[in-house]
Amino acid sequence: MSSTRTLVSPLTLSRPRGKAVYWTVFTGIVLLFALAFLFPVYWMVTGAMKSPDEVAGTPPTLVPHHWHLGGYTDAWDLMDLPTHLWNTVVQAAGAWLLQLVFCTAAAYSLSKLKPVLGRVVLGGILATLMVPAQALVVPKYLTVADLPLIHTSLLNDPLGIWLPAVANAFNLYLLKRFFDQIPRDVLEAAEIDGAGRLRTLWSIVLPMSRPVLGVVSIFALVAVWQDFLWPLMVFSDTDKQPISVALVQLSQNIPLTVLIASMVIASIPMVLMFLVFQRHIIAGISAGSTKG
Amino acid sequence: MTEAAARPIETAAEGPDRAPSPVAGRGRRRLTDQLRAYAFLLGGLLCFALFSWYPAIRAVVIAFQKYTPGSAPEWVGTANFTRVLHDPEFGAAWRNTLLFTLFALLIGFAVPFVLALVLNELRHAKAFFRVVVYLPVMIPPVVSALLWKWFYDPGAGLANEALRLLHLPTSNWTNGADTALVSLVLVATWANMGGTVLIYLAALQGIPGELYEAAELDGAGLLQRIRHVTIPQTRFVVLMLMLLQIIATMQVFTEPFVITGGGPENATVTILYLIYKYAFLYNDFGGACALSVMLLVLLSAFSALYLRLTRTAGEDS
């Protein structure tokens, strides 16, 4: 792979002048990346450890004069971070689980069980891809506030995050396309052996679908963790808000160092997940795009 | 367990299938198959019906109603639309949204493309660059917004400090009516660029090396190779991303809400922000839905174009 020819030929690069230009550009890019992408993260992590005077003073200091961990412990207590982090975990985990269960079942049905009107249903699901999600938040909010027929409100309830998350056409279509590739023979063999539909899904289809389930899981978790507008609407009750909403609501009235520490803590779970699964995440993004 | 119970019926139905009079048996089998298929579909279907299809229809209905939660809706014809259209913020919101999208296309489009182009030529530490460029995408958008709000701070902010260091004039950033919107575009670009760069990189890696080789033999210089090989070969991905970016940036909310609160002087009120204000500040859900429908119609056109293009591409491959 690394030997494939790109814009600049290997020959040009091997010449002294090519080498010089290459290493100059390389150094420039390293510096640019460090400055643009790593430095802000460093600035956040160390900013929380400066004293309140130092963080507000000019000129800014690159390294804290004294390292205070107080910013982080204060954030943990003052901002009630355990509650908000836990709320976020509950919301993300539930949305992930329900999405896996319902989207997988629906995709399996549409792909393999061929219900009457299945094509119409799939068309209806795909049509929602055309409707920009944010443009519908207000009527969606009204629906969640007063569910039709049963007249219950899901406001201030994690279900208000979980159930709408299931209506994810992108993930469902991803699963359906993957199931389409599983040959019929495999499923028919299982049926001849006496496996029912649920059994076939559980023991044959799901184990074969591990890659796509991983991708869907990552998408589902990241989406909930990063979302802001929807949880802002759903949770007016401060104790139930996820960390993204709580950060903004509380940002006005707390010392800067405490806010910065909270920002760092709010970022840690997603950044950690990215560092652990980076190979899969990056491969998923790159592959998804070129295959269309 | 239901599976085991259902099986005898299934096998029983198989017999008559080959028998002279198959119609009744096959019919029953079809019916149980259908019921089972819909049982699997039910949960997902209900969620789509409740949280996608129903709100989409409702947006259109409420746009023509006077609607306050708790009291009966009242038909008002196009009154919501006329009221919204006469709101002085309406023009500002559309102008800001379109400008935001335009700036985001100019900055958020050229920069990732050039970056991907250069990264693709590098022979070392490729994995490192890929991870680092994607890092801001994984930082929650609210955190990026708060982080940049701090950078833009007129007192302790890093942005003006950096300008001073380079002996450049300082800026008002988000406090100036003329610079606020661009400042927000910078935040959004920084936060979202990673994905675009990775997609471009994948597209660039798909270009056959022979094309460059042939162009070079024909005497094409570096810029000519970019113009005649790289750009035509990545044209499709560029177009896709452009449409996606238009759809995404026209729904911008977090940055103006968190950083500027729509100010100064309405310079950063976007359409989605205005929708939010109508619903949750003015308690005017009819107006909010009228605005939503306008945004919906415009964006659906771009979405339709996007889906059409991806579908033709899918058929090609």
Side-chain angles (χ1 to χ4, degrees):
Chain A
M1 276 302 274
S2 55
S3 61
T4 43
R5 164 72 210 255
T6 53
L7 188 55
V8 182
S9 76
L11 189 68
T12 322
L13 276 185
S14 63
R15 290 193 191 113
R17 192 165 156 264
K19 269 186 188 162
V21 172
Y22 175 81
W23 286 111
T24 317
V25 172
F26 184 82
T27 320
I29 290 284
V30 169
L31 286 177
L32 178 79
F33 270 52
L35 203 67
F37 303 121
L38 292 178
F39 180 71
V41 177
Y42 165 83
W43 196 248
M44 232 184 354
V45 174
T46 55
M49 295 197 242
K50 291 173 183 168
S51 70
D53 289 338
E54 192 181 350
V55 83
T58 42
T61 47
L62 258 181
V63 182
H65 292 313
H66 301 283
W67 297 79
H68 303 275
L69 278 172
Y72 286 104
T73 51
D74 283 354
W76 194 256
D77 302 332
L78 283 179
M79 298 274 293
D80 203 7
L81 286 187
T83 309
H84 297 303
L85 278 171
W86 177 246
N87 291 344
T88 320
V89 168
V90 168
Q91 288 161 24
W96 166 72
L97 196 68
L98 287 190
Q99 220 174 94
L100 273 198
V101 171
F102 288 130
C103 286
T104 309
Y108 173 63
S109 174
L110 287 174
S111 171
K112 295 297 179 206
L113 307 183
K114 306 280 180 208
V116 191
L117 299 179
R119 292 182 71 92
V120 179
V121 171
L122 184 66
I125 287 171
L126 289 182
T128 64
L129 282 175
M130 273 183 40
V131 179
Q134 308 281 55
L136 282 185
V137 281
V138 169
K140 197 163 89 174
Y141 166 83
L142 291 173
T143 307
V144 167
D146 181 25
L147 283 179
L149 302 176
I150 48 175
H151 296 293
T152 322
S153 166
L154 298 182
L155 294 184
N156 287 313
D157 188 325
L159 279 169
I161 302 286
W162 296 350
L163 292 178
V166 174
N168 185 326
F170 185 77
N171 282 352
L172 201 151
Y173 189 55
L174 215 60
L175 287 163
K176 194 228 164 223
R177 285 236 311 223
F178 194 89
F179 294 163
D180 282 346
Q181 291 170 351
I182 298 176
R184 279 214 85 81
D185 309 3
V186 179
L187 302 189
E188 271 163 18
E191 269 165 48
I192 289 166
D193 287 345
R197 300 285 190 266
L198 193 62
R199 177 80 208 228
T200 316
L201 172 63
W202 183 257
S203 343
I204 313 278
V205 176
L206 289 188
M208 289 175 86
S209 311
R210 248 181 235 149
V212 74
L213 291 175
V215 171
V216 168
S217 299
I218 290 169
F219 284 165
L221 285 173
V222 173
V224 175
W225 201 281
Q226 313 278 51
D227 202 4
F228 174 65
L229 178 57
W230 183 242
L232 175 73
M233 289 181 169
V234 172
F235 298 105
S236 51
D237 188 345
T238 316
D239 292 340
K240 303 216 167 120
Q241 284 169 349
I243 190 141
S244 61
V245 178
L247 267 182
V248 174
Q249 305 280 36
L250 301 172
S251 65
Q252 308 293 330
N253 313 316
I254 47 162
L256 188 56
T257 49
V258 175
L259 176 65
I260 298 165
S262 312
M263 286 154 55
V264 174
I265 294 171
S267 310
I268 288 172
M270 282 297 105
V271 171
L272 269 186
M273 192 182 88
F274 173 55
L275 293 180
V276 173
F277 295 110
Q278 36 130 330
R279 227 171 253 275
H280 306 276
I281 295 175
I282 289 175
I285 299 156
S286 312
S289 62
T290 41
K291 279 179 195 146
Chain B
M1 348 121 261
T2 45
E3 302 298 316
R7 198 148 44 80
I9 302 169
E10 203 176 314
T11 36
E14 230 145 79
D17 237 13
R18 283 174 216 106
S21 172
V23 187
R26 197 188 285 164
R28 193 186 309 145
R29 186 188 168 178
R30 283 238 176 105
L31 188 69
T32 38
D33 271 359
Q34 284 304 318
L35 285 178
R36 219 175 282 144
Y38 271 94
F40 275 100
L41 199 52
L42 191 67
L45 205 57
L46 264 178
C47 287
F48 270 96
L50 268 180
F51 305 113
S52 287
W53 302 332
Y54 180 56
I57 298 165
R58 244 181 134 197
V60 180
V61 173
I62 296 177
F64 296 98
Q65 290 178 331
K66 181 177 161 62
Y67 191 99
T68 355
S71 51
E74 192 185 310
W75 289 95
V76 291
T78 52
N80 290 327
F81 288 91
T82 34
R83 186 174 61 260
V84 163
L85 280 167
H86 285 101
D87 184 341
E89 278 188 284
F90 178 84
W94 273 109
R95 200 191 49 126
N96 293 337
T97 307
L98 293 174
L99 272 179
F100 189 95
T101 307
L102 185 73
F103 287 141
L105 279 181
L106 290 178
I107 306 172
F109 215 63
V111 175
F113 190 79
V114 173
L115 212 53
L117 206 60
V118 177
L119 285 186
N120 198 38
E121 296 309 313
L122 299 183
R123 304 290 190 267
H124 306 83
K126 275 188 157 178
F128 166 79
F129 288 125
R130 261 186 233 137
V131 170
V132 171
V133 81
Y134 202 70
L135 190 65
V137 184
M138 294 309 279
I139 291 178
V142 162
V143 173
S144 326
L146 288 169
L147 177 68
W148 280 78
K149 190 182 182 182
W150 175 33
F151 286 165
Y152 285 144
D153 190 274
L158 217 49
N160 275 340
E161 197 58 39
L163 290 181
R164 261 177 243 129
L165 211 68
L166 298 168
H167 300 286
L168 291 169
T170 56
S171 165
N172 280 327
W173 301 111
T174 51
N175 290 323
D178 48 344
T179 50
L181 201 64
V182 179
S183 306
L184 295 190
V185 174
L186 284 179
V187 182
T189 306
W190 180 83
N192 299 316
M193 185 159 68
T196 321
V197 171
L198 291 184
I199 292 171
Y200 280 146
L201 266 178
L204 289 173
Q205 271 155 14
I207 300 176
E210 300 87 63
L211 292 180
Y212 287 122
E213 211 127 305
E216 198 165 18
L217 284 177
D218 286 346
L222 186 71
L223 289 177
Q224 278 175 311
R225 265 173 279 156
I226 294 177
R227 176 153 157 26
H228 294 292
V229 179
T230 316
I231 291 177
Q233 287 286 316
T234 49
R235 199 173 43 198
F236 179 71
V237 176
V238 169
L239 193 61
M240 295 281 98
L241 284 178
M242 195 181 286
L243 286 169
L244 276 185
Q245 201 176 344
I246 290 172
I247 296 167
T249 48
M250 287 199 71
Q251 302 177 63
V252 63
F253 176 79
T254 307
E255 285 89 358
F257 185 85
V258 174
I259 301 179
T260 58
E265 297 155 37
N266 286 342
T268 55
V269 173
T270 60
I271 282 295
L272 200 64
Y273 198 163
L274 196 59
I275 293 175
Y276 178 85
K277 274 174 110 173
Y278 264 84
F280 294 97
L281 290 182
Y282 313 154
N283 212 20
D284 175 359
F285 286 90
C289 283
L291 283 167
S292 299
V293 168
M294 293 182 202
L295 184 63
L296 203 70
V297 169
L298 182 70
L299 289 188
S300 296
F302 286 112
S303 301
L305 198 61
Y306 173 77
L307 283 185
R308 211 195 154 89
L309 278 171
T310 38
R311 194 158 304 165
T312 41
E315 277 159 14
D316 286 349
S317 62

